[in-house]
Amino acid sequence: MEGSCSFFYLSDSQNTMNKNPIGLHILFAFLGLGISLLLLGVGAQFIIEIQRYDTYNDDGDLLAGTAFCIGGIVCLIFSIALILRLDWARIAFQVLLILGGIVWLTFMVFLAADSPRAWAVITGMAAAGVMVVIFGVLFLESAYFQQDLRKGHPPGKDHWDILDQ
C-alpha cells in the first residue's frame, strides 16, 4: 500500500519547498511592486500623450499623469520597505489601501453620473474595489502576516548560504 501512494508522498529530503519558503510579506510586496509598475506606466502614458500633442494638452491630463506617477513611486517605496521588514510598512500599506479605496469609490461615483444606464457594471466595479481594500487590510492585520514580518532572517545563515542549498 505504501508503494501505491509513493507518487504523492514526498519525504523531507525530497520536498525543497520547505527549505526556502517565500514569506507572506514578500508575496504582498511583489503585489505592491506590480501595482506600482502599473501606476507608473499609466502615469507615463499620460505624460507622453501631453508631450506628443502639446497644442491640445489639458491641465487635467498633466494632473492625472503626475498623480499616477506619485502613487506608483509611493507604492514602490512601501513595497521595498516591506521587503526590508520595516515596521511602518504594514501600516503605510493599510493607509494606502484605504486612500486608494476612497479614490476608487469617488471615481465610480463620477463614472455613474456620466453613464446612468451602466449601473450594474459600475456597482460591480465599486464592489470589487471595496473587496480588494477589505482583503488587503485584513490580510495585513492577520496574525500570520505579522508573525512572518517579525520573524526576520534565520540566525547564523547568510543569504548566500541559503541560495547555495
Side-chain angles (χ1 to χ4, degrees), residues 4 6 10 16 35 49 56 60 69 85 122 133 142 154 159 164:
S4 64
S6 65
L10 293 176
T16 59
I35 291 170
E49 290 296 318
Y56 301 111
C69 287
R85 296 179 190 262
I122 294 170
V133 170
S142 72
H159 65 283
D164 288 338

Side-chain angles (χ1 to χ4, degrees), residues 65-137:
T66 305
F68 276 111
C69 287
I70 289 173
I73 290 171
V74 166
C75 193
L76 179 70
I77 290 170
F78 291 169
S79 297
I80 292 171
L82 198 59
I83 290 172
L84 296 176
R85 296 179 190 262
L86 297 178
D87 293 334
W88 55 267
R90 181 179 60 85
I91 304 295
F93 255 118
Q94 288 177 341
V95 170
L96 187 67
L97 280 168
I98 291 169
L99 290 176
I102 291 169
V103 168
W104 182 256
L105 287 178
T106 305
F107 175 67
M108 289 296 116
V109 167
F110 284 125
L111 193 61
D114 287 343
S115 55
R117 292 177 51 180
W119 63 270
V121 175
I122 294 170
T123 304
M125 289 172 53
V130 169
M131 288 296 118
V132 167
V133 170
I134 291 171
F135 168 78
V137 170

Side-chain angles (χ1 to χ4, degrees), residues 132-155:
V132 167
V133 170
I134 291 171
F135 168 78
V137 170
L138 291 177
F139 183 79
L140 290 170
E141 278 295 317
S142 72
Y144 296 115
F145 184 84
Q146 291 180 15
Q147 179 184 8
D148 181 59
L149 192 61
R150 287 188 206 116
K151 193 172 13 176
H153 299 291

